[in-house]
Each structure stands twice: as C-alpha cells, then as structure tokens.
C-alpha cells in the first residue's frame, strides 16, 4: 500500500525549464511547492574539467536510461511499433534541469504567423491551401499576448542577440549584445546580403558577457569551448534551470525537490486532481503526494503518457479525429541543408558555442509567397559554429569511400574546411500522427510505453528540397569549392539523430473539443491541473522550441497564481 505524505500547495512533475520557472514564480509568491524529478541531482560542479565527448556525447550520460523506459515507434498504423533501444533521432534527458541542461542555447521566438497559422493561411491563400488531413489550428493566443512572457524569459536567461528584422515586434532589446562573429559567419552574412536576404546573429543563451539577471543571479561569460549540446556547462555561462531559476526557488525555503521520484499517476476525483502517486526508484516504495494543484512539466512523451495512464482528459482517436490527449504530435524537418567544402580555406571549427551562429528568416513562416509552392510555413536558415568535436564531426565529400586511404585523406583535408548551411524546418500536424499507449511494451515498473505514429509527408518532402536549394545558393555565393545538398527526403527513421524538438500531444487552444489545455495551459477537464512544455504546441515552427516553452511557463505561472486565489477556469 502506498504511503501518503502531508498535503502541499503545488506538486510539480519534472524539474526542467518548465518546472524550474514555475517553482521559482510560485515560491516567490509564498506558495509551498514539491518538485518530483525521476533523475538525479545535478550541479555546475559536476562538469568541472569533464570535456569528455565519449561519456556525454556518445554514451549519453545526461539522458534517460532506455533499458528502463523508452518510446515505441511505427511509421503508420499498419505496422507493429518497436521500442527505441538505442538513442538516434532524438534525446530524452533526465535529472534536475532536464533538457535545459544538455541543450545548445538557441533561443528563438516563434513568429506571429505561428500563433494564428490556420486563420492566417486561409486569409492569404484560401482554405484549399491546407491539405486533407493536416490538422493545423490557431493556438488560442496571439504573438502580442505572448510577447511579455518572451521578454521575461529572455531577461531571466540573459539572452545575447540582436533584433531579427523579419520577426514580431519586441518590447525591449535582448539583455546582452550578440556573441562574437566568426569568419564563416562573416562569409554567410556577406553572401546573404548579396542575395538580398536578412541575416542576423542567433539569439543565444550562452552569455556574450558577464550578466546579473532580475532575480539577482550572476553568471560568467561564455568561453567558446564548444561543449554545449549534450553537456552541462562548467562555467554556468549557458542558461539552464540549475543556474537560474531553481536557486531562486530554493532560496525562498518554499521548494522541496525530491530526486529519483518517478511519477506514475495523477490522482483525481470529481474532475479535480488530488495529488500524484510516484515510485521512489531507490527503494521501490510507492508514495502518494497530495496537492491542491498538480503541474505536469516533464518531456513531451511523458506529459502525454502520464495523462493517458491517469485517464485524465479525452484520449485522441485518430480514426475520428476526436479526443485531444495525444493529438497533433509534430517533429522537425532538419535535412534541408547544403554542405560546402572549401579547398582554399581553413577555419577554427573546434571552437564555438551551442548558440553561436547566424540565421535568416526570409523563408520561414509566411515571410514569402507560398502561392505556387506545395507546402506551407518554412524554415529558418542558419550557419552555426557549435564547436566540432573529434568523434562526432567528420565530414567528407559525397562519393568518398567510408573507409581506407581515401577516407583518411579527405577526413584530414576537410577537417577544418567544411561548413554546413541548413534549414530548421517547421513540422505540421496530421490526423494520423499521434502518441498513444503501446498495447504490448511496458517500462521497468510495468506501465505502458508511449507509442509514436509518425512519418514525413509530402509537405515535409517539398519543404526540405526547397530549403536545400536555398542553402545551396548561399553556399555558392560564399565560394564553396564543392557543395553536397539534400536531393530528396526519404521516410522518417528513428535511428539517426535529427532533432530533439518533439512537440504536441497536450495542445493548447480556445476550444475544449480540439485542445487539451487553454492558453494558461490549464486543463479543460481538470481545472487544477496545468500541463507545461512543448506538448502544448499545436504545430512545430521553424525554430528551436525553448524560448516558447519558457514563455509559456511564465504565463502558466501567472495562471496558477490566479487560480490559487479564485479557482475555476481562467478563460
């Protein structure tokens, strides 16, 4: 029988960006919060002098143990889903800070078009532009309404950047100036301007200078060591929950974090949550934590799975398109790129930072005319200098044998002479793309694994090739000696790393019939449950998701405080 603990005001499931921000905001307001994290404690000192590529990048030290819990995948409903046994297409973090520890730090706002994508697409092109089965919908909130929350996240995290000339209006500049501009980035900028495009420095959570945020948290400037993605930052220069919001919450004395606590059910009665049940993974003991408010802030798959296992909210039915939990799963189209090999140039590619780069948005959102194109939305095109590490990064021109003397010779020749210009493509939802519970495979605790049903569509194939051609034009203008580019996009496969930007499944909106949460991320079917994260995105944009996740977490915090005072639906 599960042990029951004393009641708390709020229990948070997962202590990453979403959980950390909400814990910070609620404890500052005087609420008592318990944060449950299935992984272990992490701190900056863990990363001192450990630029260990094998440990973190190849053996996934910061990621979920797939032998205990994973996802199953199939391309369509006619196939049998199988478990992801080894990391490939995406990485699922665990431990304090979650994905906020191992991210790169690229911090983009979504475009105004994103939040009203269906109505804006119909307004410009007509309803026929949206293909059968594509389930795009407006988010129930506009960019202008989101802007104050973006601003708050960026100031807390100390984002370094410059204004994107093709984005929505800002109420203030980024709190820090852009990072340094490397020679490849200067080449990209010059080429893009000659093509009448609009490059700008990538907004970065890697600090360009020492910075103290509005909460009084001081951090040091980035050292450009190149160990960001898949690594914790030993300097604290990369914003993550461990060095920003969690210390603020702990300082209040109102936050208790319990690590190794795997939440398995949300307890509920009469349309309201009463708390959560979790397993202490160090002892196997089952524990009930009662709470007035439950906030679910784990990764996309776990947010969805926990609601489905708890029978909270209406499960999505892909046959009818009804129900909401598991609906509108979306990914990212990252293969529309062009590799340039430069016979007469050498670059210091080993140095860099996770968010050091330049972008342009001329082909993103609805910033260009789609009338004669067979896709909607688009991609941000970028050149990044994240710091190439010796095991992970070794590009040779196409046609080079994958072993032997020729491979070795080209590996050495181009080790510091290749540059990638790539498109980070949006991903539109379809009725037959969704997450449900696998009927066969279970985790280490006997609970069903989340099952992912997804494949690339014509929309994605057209988008990827279009972007690859645009990237090739830029590489030519930059003077590449040889260019390899994507010629066609094949089926989605889960074994090769692409992007950890999974979205959807507990989407926000204005209608309970088509969304699981309102624009405060409050569940329509359980008013004291808030579900925070990229699971709330009705589609995925042509950007990294973290800025929008952080902004939504601040909005949800505001909503929780309102709910704690007055109760009821917030909209």
């Amino acid at each position: 029988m599960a042990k029951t603990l004393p009641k708390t005001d709020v229990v948070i499931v997962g202590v990453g960006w979403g959980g950390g921000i909400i814990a910070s905001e609620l404890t500052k307001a005087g609420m008592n919060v318990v944060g449950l994290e299935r992984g272990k404690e992490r701190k900056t000192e863990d990363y001192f002098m450990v630029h260990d590529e094998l440990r973190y990048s190849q053996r996934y030290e910061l990621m979920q143990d797939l032998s205990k819990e994973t996802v199953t995948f199939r391309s369509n409903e006619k196939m049998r889903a199988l478990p992801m046994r080894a990391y490939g297409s995406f990485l699922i973090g665990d431990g304090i800070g979650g994905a906020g520890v191992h991210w790169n730090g690229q911090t983009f706002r979504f475009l105004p078009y994103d939040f009203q994508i269906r109505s804006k697409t119909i307004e410009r092109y007509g309803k026929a532009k949206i293909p059968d089965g594509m389930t795009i919908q407006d988010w129930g909130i506009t960019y202008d309404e989101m802007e104050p929350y973006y601003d708050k996240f960026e100031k807390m995290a100390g984002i370094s950047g410059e204004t994107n000339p093709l984005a929505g209006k800002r109420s203030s500049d980024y709190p820090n100036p852009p990072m340094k501009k490397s020679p490849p980035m200067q080449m990209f900028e010059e080429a893009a301007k000659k093509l009448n495009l609009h490059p700008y420095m990538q907004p970065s959570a890697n600090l360009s200078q020492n910075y103290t945020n509005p909460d009084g948290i001081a951090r040091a400037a980035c050292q450009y060591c190149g160990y960001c993605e898949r690594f914790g930052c030993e300097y604290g220069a990369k914003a993550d929950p461990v060095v920003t919001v969690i210390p603020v919450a702990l300082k209040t004395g109102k936050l208790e974090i319990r690590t190794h606590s795997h939440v398995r059910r949300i307890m509920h009665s009469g349309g309201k949550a009463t708390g959560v049940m979790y397993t202490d993974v160090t002892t196997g003991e089952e524990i009930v934590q009662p709470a007035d408010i439950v906030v679910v802030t784990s990764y996309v798959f776990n947010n969805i799975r926990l609601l489905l296992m708890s029978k909270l909210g209406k499960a999505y039915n892909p046959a009818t398109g009804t129900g909401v939990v598991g609906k509108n799963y979306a990914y990212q189209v990252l293969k529309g790129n062009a590799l340039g090999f430069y016979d007469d140039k050498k670059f210091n590619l080993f140095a860099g930072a996770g968010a050091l780069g330049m972008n342009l948005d001329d082909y993103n959102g609805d910033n260009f005319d789609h009338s004669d194109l067979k896709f909607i939305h688009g991609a941000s095109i970028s050149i990044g200098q994240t710091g190439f590490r010796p095991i992970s990064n070794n590009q040779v021109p196409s046609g080079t044998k994958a072993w032997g003397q020729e491979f070795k010779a080209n590996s050495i020749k181009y080790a510091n002479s290749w540059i990638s210009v790539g498109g980070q493509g949006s991903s539109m939802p379809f009725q037959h793309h969704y997450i449900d519970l696998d009927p066969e495979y279970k985790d280490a605790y006997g609970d069903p694994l989340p099952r992912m049903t997804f494949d690339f569509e014509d929309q994605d194939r057209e988008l990827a090739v279009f972007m690859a051609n645009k990237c090739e034009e830029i590489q030519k203008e930059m003077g590449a000696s040889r260019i390899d580019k994507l010629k066609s996009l094949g089926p989605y496969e889960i074994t090769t790393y692409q992007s950890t930007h999974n979205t959807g499944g507990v989407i926000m909106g204005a209608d309970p019939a088509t969304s699981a949460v309102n624009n405060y991320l409050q569940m329509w079917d359980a008013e004291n449950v808030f579900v925070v994260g990229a699971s709330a995105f009705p589609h995925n944009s042509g950007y990294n998701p973290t800025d929008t996740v952080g902004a939504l977490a601040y909005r949800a915090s505001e909503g929780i405080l309102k709910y704690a005072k007055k109760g009821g639906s917030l909209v």
Side-chain angles (χ1 to χ4, degrees), residues 192-429:
K193 287 182 175 176
K194 286 181 181 176
L195 294 169
N196 295 318
L197 303 174
H198 301 81
Y200 63 97
M201 286 294 289
Q202 197 167 87
S204 168
N206 317 125
L207 286 179
S208 63
Q209 61 183 8
N210 295 345
Y211 176 68
T212 301
N213 77 8
D215 287 320
I217 297 291
R219 293 160 42 221
C222 177
Q223 304 298 303
Y224 297 87
C225 73
Y227 284 77
C228 297
E229 185 182 33
R230 307 186 187 186
F231 296 83
C233 179
E234 66 178 317
Y235 306 105
K238 179 175 72 174
D240 77 41
V242 177
V243 298
T244 55
V245 287
I246 292 173
V248 173
L250 290 172
K251 190 177 179 181
T252 66
K254 296 284 187 179
L255 171 65
E256 179 188 355
I257 296 177
R258 296 181 201 142
T259 54
H260 304 292
S261 300
H262 180 77
V263 177
R264 298 172 55 199
R265 297 291 186 278
I266 300 171
M267 320 295 287
H268 57 95
S269 176
K272 280 190 174 183
T274 57
V276 300
M277 185 278 284
Y278 67 95
T279 296
D280 179 337
V281 301
T282 64
T283 64
E285 184 180 22
E286 292 186 352
I287 301 170
V288 172
Q289 175 59 65
D292 290 329
I293 298 171
V294 174
V295 188
V296 184
T297 61
S298 57
Y299 192 61
V300 166
F301 298 118
N302 297 322
N303 281 0
I304 301 166
R305 184 170 82 128
L306 185 57
L307 293 181
L308 291 174
M309 291 195 304
S310 304
K311 300 187 186 307
L312 198 56
K314 299 179 183 66
Y316 178 60
N317 182 340
T320 62
T322 59
V324 290
V325 180
K327 175 185 175 182
N328 277 31
Y329 168 77
Y331 189 52
Q332 196 116 62
V333 181
L334 270 182
K335 294 192 174 183
N337 60 11
L339 282 180
F341 295 89
Y342 293 77
D343 290 335
D344 57 347
K345 290 185 174 62
K346 294 284 185 184
F347 311 106
N348 291 332
L349 300 179
F350 55 86
L356 178 64
M358 293 204 76
N359 279 65
L360 56 88
D361 284 320
D362 298 77
Y363 306 111
N364 202 2
D366 202 30
N367 288 341
F368 60 114
D369 186 6
H370 291 70
S371 297
D372 297 325
L373 299 173
K374 296 178 181 177
F375 64 90
I376 65 168
H377 212 299
S380 59
I381 288 179
S382 67
I383 181 171
Q385 189 159 343
T386 57
F388 290 160
R389 299 179 296 271
I391 300 175
S392 304
N393 307 101
N394 181 30
Q395 292 289 350
V396 293
S398 59
T400 301
K401 290 180 180 177
W403 70 93
Q405 187 175 1
E406 183 186 4
F407 174 75
K408 292 177 182 176
N410 276 343
S411 294
I412 294 169
K413 179 179 180 180
Y414 291 108
N416 285 299
S417 297
W418 66 277
I419 296 172
S420 175
V421 173
Q424 178 161 217
S426 57
S427 178
M428 298 300 108

Side-chain angles (χ1 to χ4, degrees), residues 546-564:
T546 301
D547 206 359
T548 301
V549 170
L552 286 173
Y554 276 110
R555 181 168 173 84
S557 301
E558 184 179 295
I560 293 166
L561 291 172
K562 288 181 180 178
Y563 177 79

